[in-house]
C-alpha cells in the first residue's frame, strides 16, 4: 500500500527550462547568459546551495552578490521560476490522489522562494516539500531518502517516488522506497494503475 507519493519537480511536475531562467537573469543584469551561468552554476554556488550550504536568506544574498546587485530580489525570484514550466495535466492528475503528496526536488533555497510566489499553483497541490537543501543531500544519495523520512515522518516502505531520472529511481529503491519513471500525466496514470 502506498501512503506517500513523492513527485519530482523538474521533469515531471514541470518542464525544466534552465535557458529561460538564464535569459531572464541576463536581460535584467545586462550580463551575458554565459557569464550568469558561470557565476551561479559553473562556479559551484548552485551546487553548494542544493546541498544546504546556504540558508534561505543567504542564498538570495549570495546570488545577488555574484550578480553585482544588478537585479532585485523580486526580479531574481521571478527569473529563477522560469526554469520550471508547470504541467497542468500532471497537476490535475495528482489532484485526484488521496495519498500524501510530497514535492521531491534537487534544489537549493531558491525553490522555496519560487514556490511561495510565482510557482504557488504548484505548491498548493502538495502537502510537503522535500528539497535537497533541507536534508543536505541530493536524490542520488541514499541519505536524501532517509533524512526526508525523518524530517517529514514518512514511512519509506509505503512511499513511491515518481521521477524522470533513472539514477534517482535506483537510489530510492536502494533506500527501500518504491520508485518509477514518469515524465508526463499519461505515464503517471499508468503507474497508478499498478499500485
Amino acid at each position: 500500500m502506498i501512503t506517500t507519493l513523492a513527485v519530482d519537480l523538474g521533469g515531471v511536475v514541470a518542464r525544466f527550462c534552465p535557458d529561460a531562467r538564464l535569459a531572464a537573469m541576463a536581460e535584467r543584469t545586462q550580463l551575458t547568459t554565459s557569464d550568469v551561468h558561470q557565476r551561479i552554476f559553473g562556479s559551484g554556488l548552485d551546487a553548494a546551495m542544493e546541498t544546504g550550504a546556504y540558508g534561505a536568506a543567504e542564498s538570495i544574498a549570495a546570488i545577488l552578490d555574484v550578480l553585482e546587485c544588478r537585479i532585485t530580489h523580486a526580479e531574481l525570484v521571478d527569473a529563477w521560476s522560469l526554469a520550471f514550466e508547470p504541467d497542468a495535466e500532471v497537476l490535475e492528475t495528482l489532484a485526484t490522489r488521496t495519498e500524501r503528496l510530497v514535492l521531491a526536488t534537487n534544489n537549493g533555497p531558491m525553490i522555496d522562494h519560487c514556490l511561495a510566489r510565482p510557482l504557488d499553483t504548484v505548491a498548493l497541490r502538495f502537502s510537503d516539500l522535500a528539497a535537497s537543501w533541507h536534508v543536505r543531500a541530493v536524490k542520488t544519495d541514499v541519505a536524501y531518502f532517509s533524512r526526508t523520512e525523518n524530517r517529514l515522518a514518512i514511512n519509506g516502505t509505503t512511499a513511491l517516488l515518481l521521477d524522470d531520472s533513472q539514477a534517482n529511481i535506483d537510489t530510492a529503491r536502494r533506500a527501500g522506497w518504491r520508485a518509477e519513471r514518469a515524465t508526463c500525466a499519461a505515464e503517471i496514470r499508468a503507474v497508478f494503475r499498478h499500485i
Side-chain angles (χ1 to χ4, degrees):
M1 177 181 172
I2 300 299
T3 60
T4 301
L5 288 173
V7 189
D8 179 46
L9 174 60
V12 183
V13 171
R15 190 167 68 90
F16 186 48
C17 311
D19 290 346
R21 172 174 57 192
L22 281 176
M25 287 192 287
E27 181 181 353
R28 289 292 186 183
T29 60
Q30 297 300 299
L31 297 167
T32 65
T33 55
S34 60
D35 196 9
V36 171
H37 182 274
Q38 177 55 37
R39 292 177 187 217
I40 299 171
F41 303 96
S43 67
L45 175 60
D46 184 63
M49 291 191 297
E50 274 191 358
T51 53
Y54 293 80
E58 294 170 319
S59 67
I60 290 279
I63 296 170
L64 292 178
D65 183 55
V66 298
L67 296 180
E68 302 170 8
C69 295
R70 296 182 180 205
I71 188 170
T72 68
H73 176 145
E75 289 170 339
L76 176 60
V77 172
D78 287 343
W80 203 275
S81 298
L82 295 176
F84 305 96
E85 184 180 292
D87 185 321
E89 189 178 1
V90 167
L91 291 171
E92 288 169 14
T93 299
L94 293 173
T96 67
R97 303 305 299 180
T98 58
E99 298 90 352
R100 178 183 183 185
L101 292 177
V102 175
L103 187 61
T105 183
N106 288 338
N107 266 287
M110 285 300 300
I111 201 60
D112 296 56
H113 294 288
C114 295
L115 289 166
R117 186 206 59 81
L119 296 177
D120 54 349
T121 56
V122 171
L124 289 171
R125 292 286 190 213
F126 295 86
S127 58
D128 297 288
L129 172 63
S132 57
W133 83 274
H134 294 152
V135 294
R136 296 179 170 265
V138 293
K139 286 183 279 182
T140 51
D141 183 343
V142 170
Y144 171 89
F145 297 95
S146 59
R147 293 174 188 172
T148 295
E149 288 174 19
N150 292 333
R151 181 175 175 271
L152 298 180
I154 291 172
N155 180 346
T157 62
T158 60
L160 168 65
L161 173 70
L162 299 176
D163 206 296
D164 65 324
S165 163
Q166 191 61 48
N168 294 343
I169 290 165
D170 292 343
T171 306
R173 289 174 178 166
R174 283 198 305 276
W177 291 39
R178 284 187 61 181
E180 299 293 339
R181 188 173 189 280
T183 61
C184 64
E187 291 177 357
I188 291 172
R189 289 192 294 268
V191 170
F192 290 161
R193 285 194 290 272
H194 298 97
I195 63 170

